[in-house]
Amino acid sequence: MSEVAINQVGHLPSGPKRATLVTDATEALAWQLADGSGRVVATGTSEPRGTDVSCGQNVHTIDFGAHQQAGTGFTLSADGATSRPFAIGADLYRPLRADALKFFYCQRSGIEIRDDLRPGYGRPAGHLSDRDVPCAPDAGDYRLDVRGGWYDAGDQGKYVVNGGITVWQLLHAFEHRRGLDDLALDLPESGNGVPDLLNEVRWELDFLLRMQAPSGLVHHKMHDQQWTGLPTLPHLDPQPRVLRPVSTAATLNLAAVAAQGSRIYRKYDADYADRLLAAARTAYAAAGDHPIRYAPVEDTIGGGPYNDDDVRDEFYWAAAELFLTTGEQRYADAVLTSPLHTEDVFGSYALDWAATAAAARLSLALTPNELPELDAVRASVVAGADKYLAIQQAHPYAVAYAPPGNQWEWGSNSMVLNNLMVVAVAYDLTGETRYRDGALEGLDYLLGRNALNLSYVTGYGTDYAKNQHSRWYAHQIDPSLPHPPNGTLAGGPNSGLQDEVAQARLTGQVGQFCYVDDIHSWSTNELTINWNAPLAWLAAFAADLD
């Protein structure tokens, strides 16, 4: 059986346009591009690529980039198969940019989600008791007001390290992408004189500030004492909430994003910028005094552990953001003497909540500063982009991700996006079209050009994921509840198959096929704030073009 896998949203007129043909044929095949009326507007022959190890399929590449006519309802046909319909147009990614960012309002804790702002998603405020949360017995003997913030994923936990990298990526987009300062996100705060994206991010930043303990260290997470079942809406959660112990990683996350936020919010609220910077300084000093307070791997009851016992990268990242905001020599010295400063920090995936050195490198490369040998910093980003671009160009589905041993990792879709972010930043630094095209083509995989012929973004494409693991977007279990909102990214293929549904349905599958759109498959199909953040960043990049 032949199939034509393509970006089901479409392509920019001047951007790359490729598809992947699954076929038994080993010789080049004829293809036809038809417009919305069925008229053939371009023809050519495919390029045989052999067997793709990431899925075990024999595949060809179809390149129709020469066709730049805008329109909707295009289809691509070859070997008796026809693709899903798609568009060619200059503004294709603007809706995705908005929806990927609107996702965060629906993740808010401690506030009513208004149905007039998100039709079909309204719900009462959840976890109002977070205003007065006790420490667990191993975490302290005090209580904190830790209201607000975003629910991390499909559960009602709130985690500083996942919140930190998410805030960083959204603020990085605001600082370096165009069109975000006046983007309307339909928030309760809209119209207050502050850009909507900064209004949304502040909801999480304020929570992160509240997680700072009297010692200056920051609690790693807070969540229910026991796991709740599916579905459980936040306002109906019966479980008591607890603060888990402080950690060095969480403390440095606050130091990094509070410093970053200070320079970005200063234009709009100087007092808030001062408060952020003070918290960042306090946190960085506290982490220096307590450099090995690690979150335990076994802390898995009621919430994920988010354990990390190597915080060299967090120290590097926090120092970089403090230097970029203050220009102070002590932070520059910390950056320059970090063992990571001259290392290649761009591994099989560039960054995530536990790997933040690349975040430091990307901030240093793009944010104006006077760090010595800045050219070397920027060259390292370009070298990282070259690595991911080479992986993408060798991959028949143009995936900028090649995990060791073809063992796809939890949240692989976010890893693809974070690698593409590095490629896009290389375009910012060099202006070379190959980086622009690489970042754009990389989005194809997420939007349907993959072995499953499935868009991993809810509401985008003809066939898309819509049963992501969530306790309140649980339509699959309870038809009175909604699917996730448009613009929600699914985690993606995960060779680990940690949940029972994945084990029952996917055992023996390879790479790209280790995914199922089922609400119970939390290891392949969860949604999280730190997976939607790179989607929003790349959508903003694409929306800047053409």
Side-chain angles (χ1 to χ4, degrees), residues 151-175:
Y151 297 120
D152 175 72
D155 65 286
Q156 295 100 340
K158 299 187 293 190
Y159 307 83
V160 170
V161 295
N162 225 33
I165 196 63
T166 303
V167 165
W168 174 82
Q169 202 150 32
L170 295 179
L171 289 181
H172 190 277
F174 183 86
E175 194 170 21

Side-chain angles (χ1 to χ4, degrees), residues 33-41 67 69 72-75:
L33 176 68
D35 64 16
S37 67
R39 180 173 63 95
V40 175
V41 294
H67 185 83
Q69 174 191 353
T72 60
F74 287 99
T75 55

Side-chain angles (χ1 to χ4, degrees), residues 14 26 52 160 218 220 224 233 297 338 393 408 426 445 455 523:
S14 66
T26 57
D52 176 5
V160 170
V218 176
H220 197 72
D224 296 341
L233 272 71
V297 65
S338 167
Q393 290 168 346
W408 290 54
Y445 167 78
S455 168
S523 69

Side-chain angles (χ1 to χ4, degrees), residues 169-346:
Q169 202 150 32
L170 295 179
L171 289 181
H172 190 277
F174 183 86
E175 194 170 21
H176 300 293
R177 302 264 60 89
R178 293 184 290 112
L180 294 176
D181 56 349
D182 59 357
L183 181 64
L185 297 179
D186 302 323
L187 303 176
E189 303 86 359
S190 294
N192 65 354
V194 177
D196 272 1
L197 179 53
L198 296 189
N199 282 321
E200 187 57 68
V201 171
R202 181 164 178 169
W203 192 260
E204 178 73 4
L205 259 179
D206 285 349
F207 160 72
L208 297 178
L209 289 171
R210 295 182 185 114
M211 290 289 279
Q212 192 163 28
S215 65
L217 295 166
V218 176
H219 286 273
H220 197 72
K221 56 179 183 168
M222 68 84 55
H223 51 64
D224 296 341
Q225 283 187 347
Q226 299 290 329
W227 287 106
T228 58
L230 275 69
T232 303
L233 272 71
H235 69 288
L236 300 177
D237 180 7
Q239 284 290 328
R241 311 271 275 178
V242 292
L243 282 161
R244 300 302 298 134
V246 296
S247 74
T248 306
T251 304
L252 291 167
N253 266 261
L254 177 64
V257 299
Q260 177 195 30
S262 178
R263 68 175 179 268
I264 293 171
Y265 283 87
R266 185 161 298 282
K267 176 180 176 181
Y268 306 98
D269 188 336
D271 290 342
Y272 186 57
D274 288 343
R275 181 184 167 206
L276 287 170
L277 185 56
R281 291 184 187 277
T282 298
Y284 187 78
D289 291 338
H290 303 276
I292 53 171
R293 296 288 290 270
Y294 301 141
V297 65
E298 64 273 9
D299 191 1
T300 61
I301 305 301
Y306 286 93
N307 54 293
D308 183 4
D309 59 3
D310 182 357
V311 295
R312 296 175 303 157
D313 50 334
E314 282 84 3
F315 271 108
Y316 180 50
W317 176 37
E321 295 295 349
L322 278 159
F323 166 69
L324 291 171
T325 295
T326 68
E328 293 177 10
Q329 189 62 44
R330 56 174 167 161
Y331 299 124
D333 291 344
V335 169
L336 295 170
T337 58
S338 167
L340 298 177
H341 186 57
T342 55
E343 289 186 9
D344 178 7
V345 297
F346 301 105

